Amino acid sequence: MWQVVGQSRVVSLLQRSLEQGSIAHAYLVVGPPHVGKMTLALNLAQALNCQGQGDEPPCGVCDSCQKIASGKHADVQIIGLGSNGSAEISIDQIRQVQHSSNLPPFEGRHKVFIIERAELMSTEAANCLLKTLEEPAAGVIFILLATSGGVLPATVVSRCQKLELPPLPASEVENVLSQRWGVEQQRAGLLARLSHGCLGWAISAASDERLLQQRAERLEGLLNIIGGDYAVRFAYVPQLVAWFGQSRGLAQEILDLWLDWWRDLLLVKLGSGSAVTNIDHESMLVDMAGGYRLEQIRAVINSIQATGERLRQNANPRLAFEVLMLSIPPGRGG
Ligand SMILES: [Zn+2]
């Protein structure tokens, strides 16, 4: 039973490889955050070590499958950023992997090393891993997980079989939420849209009120900016700069939410209102879209994207956000 949802292309490819005994020594699983990369990796680790009698592993119920699911299998290791606040995966972590990969499995048939956020390996760590990938030990499988857009050395990528996990259609996320997780229909519909096809996020948001609360606060901030004059807008810049200082990922999340809103306005303007992300604000979107010309909306979308790009290129965040504020057409109040 493969638990990963909606990735039938990749799953059947792996099932075929398992049947034919042609499993690669290393996989690179690429996809947006929360799309199911870790679930897929754990399922593959289970399939490789399953003790069930069925001809379609993983069975999900044998001792080995259960241990892997709960992170207690001695031959399946997950390597990641860890809890020490480090921003990269260090060479020491990879050296330990290297050492451990040379020892025979303790309890399973295969040793599986799952490297989470592999794009965050330091250069030394990546070079060290490369040596291991170039001389693969029998029975050892590496599964590197990377976020789309993350950059890994070409030498490492070339040693891996690449598996891409695209975001799921909103309808599929909605179905899983309501059927498997018992989420009420309307809420499931909203979470499915907000998740952008990343089921893991939708499942978290279904059980953790804070995520929707946080989205409401961020949206309120955006609406204040849209409706406010330049004094209101510039007063919000220090908050954005503070978020950026806290983490770049956080600042990008805010920009993504802004982008969603302006894309929704564009969709409404183009008569495709049923495709909006913020379905719980439909009438507000319709009302607001009426106040802009199409090219104004497009210009704001471009400007938000350009801001993200400038921040990635280490522009001064205060300046970047101020330029963004100036690019939003004057609010009705200002
Ligand atoms: Zn099993």
Side-chain angles (χ1 to χ4, degrees), residues 2-19 22-24 27-32 35-44 47 57-58 143-145 161-168:
W2 290 73
Q3 299 290 324
V4 64
V5 171
Q7 303 291 352
S8 51
R9 199 185 58 82
V10 164
V11 168
S12 44
L13 184 146
L14 290 174
Q15 280 173 324
R16 265 200 315 280
S17 303
L18 285 162
E19 279 164 26
S22 60
I23 284 291
Y27 289 95
L28 170 59
V29 185
V30 179
V35 79
K37 299 188 290 296
M38 182 58 86
T39 307
L40 180 81
L42 290 172
N43 279 171
L44 178 57
I143 310 175
L144 281 61
L145 314 183
Q161 181 171 349
K162 196 169 173 185
L163 305 173
E164 295 225 34
L165 302 192
L168 309 181

Side-chain angles (χ1 to χ4, degrees), residues 54-96:
D55 43 353
E56 281 199 5
C59 71
V61 292
C62 72
D63 193 40
S64 176
C65 280
Q66 287 193 9
K67 274 188 176 173
I68 292 171
S70 57
K72 289 181 183 139
H73 196 287
D75 296 314
V76 178
Q77 283 183 36
I78 297 173
I79 297 96
L81 281 184
S83 50
N84 60 0
S86 165
E88 55 182 26
I89 297 171
S90 69
I91 186 165
D92 288 341
Q93 287 175 283
I94 300 298
R95 279 206 186 109
Q96 278 176 19

Side-chain angles (χ1 to χ4, degrees), residues 262-305:
W262 286 91
R263 279 190 180 137
D264 282 355
L265 290 173
L266 184 70
L267 286 168
V268 169
K269 199 82 186 163
L270 294 171
S272 309
S274 58
V276 298
T277 298
N278 298 285
I279 42 174
D280 55 341
H281 287 70
E282 236 174 324
S283 59
M284 189 191 281
L285 285 165
V286 170
D287 186 40
M288 196 179 275
Y292 294 111
R293 295 191 311 278
L294 193 57
E295 56 271 33
Q296 284 181 308
I297 298 175
R298 286 216 169 99
V300 177
I301 291 173
N302 289 339
S303 183
I304 297 170
Q305 287 170 328

